Amino acid sequence: MTSSLGGLVILFLLYASGAIFATVMLAVGIAWGIRWGITWSVKEISSDSELEAWLKRVLGTSEK
C-alpha cells in the first residue's frame, strides 16, 4: 500500500512540475513575441515619413 501511495505522489509531482515548466516556457515565448512585435512595430513606424509628419502636425499643435 505504501509503495503504491509513494508512486502516486511521485507521479503527481512529475506531472505538476511538467505543467509548471510548460506554463513558464509558454509565458517566456509570449513575452518574447510581444517584445519582438513591439520592436518591429516601432521600427516600421519610425521609417514612415508620412506618419511622422502627421504625428508632428497633430502633437505639435498647442491649444491656447
Side-chain angles (χ1 to χ4, degrees):
M1 173 93 180
T2 58
S3 64
S4 64
L5 181 63
L8 286 176
V9 169
I10 290 174
L11 186 64
F12 174 76
L13 290 175
L14 284 174
Y15 279 125
S17 64
I20 291 170
F21 179 75
T23 303
V24 168
M25 293 305 292
L26 183 65
V28 168
I30 290 171
W32 279 353
I34 290 172
R35 180 179 176 203
W36 179 83
I38 290 173
T39 303
W40 177 81
S41 297
V42 168
K43 285 181 183 177
E44 287 295 315
I45 289 171
S46 65
S47 66
D48 189 0
S49 60
E50 290 181 24
L51 180 61
E52 188 177 347
W54 179 79
L55 285 172
K56 283 181 182 177
R57 189 173 65 245
V58 169
L59 298 176
T61 60
S62 60
E63 295 181 18
K64 292 182 178 182

